Amino acid sequence: MSLITIDKASMGYEGKTIVRDLSLKINEGDYVCIVGENGSGKTTLMKCLLGLIQPLSGIVSYGDGLKQNEIGYLPQQTIFQKDFPASVDEVVMSGCLNKKNTLFYSREQKKTALENMEKTGILSIRKKCFRELSGGQKQRVLLSRALCATHKLLILDEPVTGLDPIATLDMYALIKNLNKSGITIIMVSHDITAAVNNASKILHLSKNDYFYGTAHQYLHSEIGKKFMITDCPCDVCQHEHSGGGVQQ
């Protein structure tokens, strides 16, 4: 089932088009990585998906009952976020604010927060101050917060920026596990190799065109060959390289 349908949509600011005539579908369970050069429109597209800006033309629609305020969003960390003087509990619970109808969090919202902290492996640090955590721990806290807003779709903006190699691998593994559990992932990334190794689909934006397809298709596309220097790691291509051929 399609969660997001983009039909001939152009996006930009004050009449200036940055993303032009984009058409694609993001289905339930997809793991989509958005890559491309600086200025190609990755941030513009992300803002449009979140409803922060409207398309200049064309249509962006949502399926399966998805609403824009039910999309979990993990932005790039800012200095303010890194030094936020609150407990892990408080930061994670703030992800429920869009669903909060009273001055207090409901029992169900508290239960959801605990479940999400368990999913991201931070239950043991829930009483600690956020600004005292390591970079990897902070990202897990913010990911838990984003999960409190949704059970369908996460949009992640460069979620491993500033993390050390081990924390980076841990974060990628966690995101992949969340996708396997049924959550659709849309991730903006500057690391094309990691995108291909983790995502099921790649959206590569450029200033004049775009590619959208599976990671395998991307590796065999003209734009994929331009940016990737390694052989395709998929099972089909590895079988071909070993001389086994492809069964028809």
Side-chain angles (χ1 to χ4, degrees):
M1 180 178 291
S2 177
L3 278 184
I4 297 177
T5 299
I6 302 175
D7 186 15
K8 297 180 181 178
S10 294
M11 307 162 194
Y13 308 91
E14 299 178 353
K16 180 181 178 181
T17 301
I18 299 175
V19 178
R20 189 181 303 275
D21 294 329
L22 182 64
S23 292
L24 58 87
K25 288 186 177 181
I26 298 174
N27 296 320
E28 185 177 351
D30 279 348
Y31 184 163
V32 179
C33 268
I34 304 173
V35 300
E37 304 91 331
N38 289 336
S40 60
K42 299 188 297 294
T43 299
T44 303
L45 172 57
M46 186 172 58
K47 287 183 176 180
C48 192
L49 294 178
L50 291 167
L52 301 177
I53 61 172
Q54 297 300 312
L56 300 175
S57 62
I59 297 171
V60 177
S61 60
Y62 303 84
D64 195 26
L66 180 67
K67 300 176 182 178
Q68 286 177 328
N69 67 350
E70 294 174 340
I71 297 174
Y73 174 48
L74 175 61
Q76 288 194 49
Q77 279 199 48
T78 64
I79 296 298
F80 172 75
Q81 287 174 319
K82 290 179 180 179
D83 291 332
F84 196 61
S87 70
V88 169
D89 260 341
E90 290 170 326
V91 173
V92 174
M93 285 298 302
S94 69
C96 299
L97 287 176
N98 280 344
K99 302 176 182 178
K100 191 177 176 185
N101 297 318
T102 68
L103 292 174
F104 304 99
Y105 294 107
S106 69
R107 180 179 299 176
E108 187 63 29
Q109 288 167 338
K110 292 177 181 178
K111 179 183 176 183
T112 297
L114 286 172
E115 289 173 347
N116 289 329
M117 284 188 276
E118 184 174 10
K119 286 179 184 177
T120 57
I122 59 169
L123 268 179
S124 63
I125 60 170
R126 55 183 291 225
K127 298 303 181 182
K128 287 190 175 182
C129 181
F130 179 77
R131 62 184 175 189
E132 296 174 357
L133 304 179
S134 68
Q137 288 173 327
K138 287 177 179 176
Q139 282 300 80
R140 283 174 177 263
V141 173
L142 295 175
L143 184 58
S144 294
R145 179 184 185 277
L147 284 168
C148 285
T150 189
H151 61 277
K152 292 183 179 181
L153 174 63
L154 280 174
I155 295 181
L156 314 174
D157 187 4
E158 302 280 10
V160 301
T161 298
L163 301 185
D164 63 52
I166 293 177
T168 294
L169 291 175
D170 286 345
M171 181 59 66
Y172 279 138
L174 176 55
I175 293 167
K176 201 158 193 174
N177 284 335
L178 290 172
N179 178 242
K180 289 178 179 178
S181 75
I183 296 176
T184 303
I185 303 291
I186 301 175
M187 182 171 72
V188 174
S189 177
H190 69 278
D191 188 340
I192 296 180
T193 300
V196 168
N197 288 336
N198 289 285
S200 59
K201 293 181 180 177
I202 304 293
L203 172 60
H204 190 128
L205 296 174
S206 62
K207 293 182 179 179
N208 299 311
D209 203 359
Y210 68 92
F211 169 91
Y212 184 61
T214 66
H216 174 77
Q217 290 169 338
Y218 177 70
L219 284 170
H220 293 272
S221 69
E222 289 304 312
I223 194 167
K225 291 176 182 177
K226 179 180 177 182
F227 285 89
M228 298 292 294
I229 60 175
T230 57
D231 290 332
C232 177
C234 78
D235 292 340
V236 172
C237 287
Q238 290 301 310
H239 190 53
E240 288 178 331
H241 296 329
S242 68
V246 180
Q247 292 183 348
Q248 300 297 323

